[in-house]
């Protein structure tokens, strides 16, 4: 009996040790990534100073407000005792903020390459799509941010609890760092097709607004990368929205209301960013989606 207890004890202790070592391994592999400093010099983008360009930048910034707050002064993206804290940075270059002392190059590095000023990889920030903006549009957006009055709002530094470090390190949350999926060499001298309602221009808008990241490459929909989001609908010609007229499509993005009267939650379907663009640019997205083959119906 004594011998049996002794062996059970040894086995249990070894199991606990293995679990602890595994947890430690996953948490440190997450932290190594989180704290890693990448040195990357982005290709320069020229930043305009005229009022028309700043006005274009303001229009392009509407989609940022959903995460960075209506005044772009940042907000707490999540603060959960079980997960940790992630602020979506204050973008106004205020003293003590994440963007204090940000240069033009720092803005390009964050938006095109997914790295903060220090070179740490950013999380949640959708640089994989925003970084597809043309040099001209990106220049306007940066010009607009530089024109903002500094907003004095400070946050706790981003951090994660041990448990979420372990889960993240084990890959339970999927890929968390856009830096890892961006083709950095291609992120230079980017041009957009001429502004208009052509499908080519629509493809540019879709690419720089991340529609496919949620609606899938063929617009057939599926699961959202956000675990608490409702399922993502098929918006290709075979889906519900694929049957809308061009006017109904534009009206949805202007008002947030579908032709049948539904109001999709902007937290899960970020319609405001596209809705802020002139009608022709929204039409280009419709024309692009309609130019593609309908996605195979689900179920
Ligand atoms: C889905 C939410 C989301 C959207 C949309 C978004 N951001 Fe972010 N952004 C974040 C979060 C969260 C961070 C901080 C990430 C971190 O610290 O790891 C961030 C960081 C940044 C940074 C780096 C600041 C720093 O901490 O050094 C810049 C610059 C930035 N965002 C600009 C923009 C602009 C411009 C837009 C719109 C074109 C935009 N973001 C849209 C969530 C978002
Ligand atoms: C973060 C993920 C996400 C992104 C990015 C996104 N969508 Fe959506 N979209 C959704 C979800 C989720 C819904 C369903 C919302 C609901 O039913 O409450 C939706 C709904 C829609 C609808 C309404 C469909 C219907 O049948 O009611 C249209 C149209 C649409 N999206 C188009 C777009 C376009 C165009 C873009 C790019 C500019 C885009 N979406 C970007 C997640 C996303």
């Amino acid at each position: 009996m004594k011998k049996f207890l002794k062996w059970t004890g040894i086995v249990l202790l070894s199991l606990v040790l293995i679990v602890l070592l595994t947890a430690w391994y996953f948490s440190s592999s997450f932290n190594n990534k989180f704290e890693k400093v990448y040195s990357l010099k982005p290709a320069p983008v020229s930043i305009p100073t005229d009022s028309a360009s700043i006005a274009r930048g303001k229009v392009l910034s509407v989609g940022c407000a959903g995460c960075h707050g209506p005044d772009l002064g940042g907000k707490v993206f999540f603060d959960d005792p079980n997960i940790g804290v992630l602020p979506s940075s204050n973008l106004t270059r205020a003293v003590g903020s994440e963007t204090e002392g940000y240069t033009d190059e720092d803005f390009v590095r964050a938006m095109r390459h997914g790295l903060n000023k220090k070179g740490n990889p950013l999380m949640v920030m959708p640089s994989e799509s925003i970084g597809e903006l043309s040099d001209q549009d990106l220049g306007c957006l940066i010009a607009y941010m530089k024109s903002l009055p500094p907003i004095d709002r400070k946050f706790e530094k981003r951090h994660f609890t041990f448990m979420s470090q372990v889960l993240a390190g084990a890959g339970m949350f999927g890929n968390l760092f856009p830096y890892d999926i961006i083709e950095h060499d291609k992120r230079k001298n980017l041009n957009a097709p001429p502004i208009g309602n052509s499908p080519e221009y629509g493809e540019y808008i879709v690419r720089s607004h991340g529609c496919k990241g949620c609606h899938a490459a063929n617009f057939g929909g599926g699961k959202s990368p956000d675990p608490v989001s409702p399922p993502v609908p098929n918006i290709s010609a075979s889906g519900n929205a694929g049957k809308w007229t061009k006017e109904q499509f534009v009206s949805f993005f202007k008002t947030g209301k579908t032709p049948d009267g539904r109001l999709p939650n902007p937290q899960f379907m970020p319609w405001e960013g596209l809705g802020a663009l002139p009608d022709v640019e929204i039409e280009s997205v419709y024309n692009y989606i309609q130019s593609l083959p309908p996605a195979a119906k689900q179920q």
Side-chain angles (χ1 to χ4, degrees):
M1 188 63 189
K2 247 189 174 168
K3 215 170 177 184
F4 173 75
L5 280 181
K6 186 175 152 200
W7 278 106
T8 322
I10 290 175
V11 168
L12 281 178
L13 262 176
S14 325
L15 282 177
V16 168
L17 208 64
I18 290 171
V19 168
L20 284 178
L21 276 174
T22 315
W24 173 81
Y25 171 80
F26 283 137
S27 104
S28 52
S29 73
F30 171 78
N31 280 329
N32 287 342
K33 180 78 201 180
F34 192 60
E35 307 286 348
K36 193 164 172 153
V37 174
Y38 294 90
S39 71
L40 186 154
K41 195 170 170 55
V45 168
S46 76
I47 312 300
T49 49
D50 62 291
S51 57
S53 301
I54 293 176
R56 170 73 179 168
K58 183 175 184 183
V59 166
L60 290 168
S61 79
V62 171
C64 320
C67 290
H68 289 280
D71 56 9
L72 301 185
K75 65 178 191 188
V76 177
F77 193 74
F78 61 73
D79 180 355
D80 183 315
N82 296 314
I83 306 176
V85 177
L86 183 69
S88 36
S89 317
N90 180 341
L91 302 181
T92 66
R93 301 194 294 166
V95 176
S97 77
E98 294 80 2
T99 50
E100 177 180 6
Y102 246 57
T103 61
D104 295 351
E105 188 176 86
D106 294 329
F107 275 116
V108 178
R109 187 183 290 105
M111 292 194 274
R112 282 238 165 115
H113 301 283
L115 297 171
N116 68 15
K117 191 178 172 73
K118 261 177 66 191
N120 304 131
L122 295 168
M123 301 178 76
V124 180
M125 164 67 188
S127 306
E128 76 282 8
S129 52
I130 291 169
E132 290 290 305
L133 286 172
S134 66
D135 282 18
Q136 201 185 348
D137 276 342
L138 186 62
C140 293
L141 192 50
I142 295 174
Y144 174 65
M145 283 190 280
K146 288 172 66 181
S147 78
L148 292 170
I151 288 168
D152 184 21
R153 198 176 299 140
K154 297 186 188 76
F155 303 100
E156 234 180 288
K157 269 205 161 8
R158 61 177 204 168
H159 66 83
F160 285 82
T161 61
F162 181 71
M163 201 54 210
S164 55
Q165 290 167 17
V166 173
L167 294 176
M172 303 287 275
F173 304 137
N175 177 41
L176 294 170
F177 303 101
Y179 173 85
D180 288 342
I181 53 168
I182 293 171
E183 290 186 75
H184 297 280
D185 299 346
K186 295 193 178 157
R187 290 270 164 103
K188 52 175 172 250
N189 306 325
L190 302 185
N191 289 309
I195 293 188
N197 65 4
S198 68
E200 293 71 36
Y201 191 77
E203 190 277 330
Y204 163 68
I205 293 293
V206 161
R207 191 157 31 88
S208 52
H209 286 70
C211 314
K212 291 185 181 181
C214 293
H215 286 278
N218 63 357
F219 296 108
K223 257 180 71 139
S224 169
D226 180 345
V228 291
S229 164
V232 184
N234 177 355
I235 56 166
S236 80
S238 59
N240 174 50
K243 315 263 180 320
W244 296 352
T245 64
K246 196 180 289 177
E247 291 68 32
Q248 287 174 323
F249 188 85
V250 172
S251 163
F252 167 61
F253 284 97
K254 291 282 167 197
T255 62
K257 196 170 180 179
T258 63
D260 51 358
R262 285 172 296 119
L263 294 163
N265 185 344
Q267 193 195 328
F268 303 123
M269 167 52 203
W271 53 269
E272 287 131 320
L274 183 57
L277 298 180
D279 288 9
V280 283
E281 299 190 45
I282 307 176
E283 285 172 20
S284 75
V285 171
Y286 180 86
N287 291 337
Y288 169 56
I289 296 174
Q290 292 288 326
S291 76
L292 300 174
K297 277 218 170 71
Q298 292 169 328
Q299 282 111 34

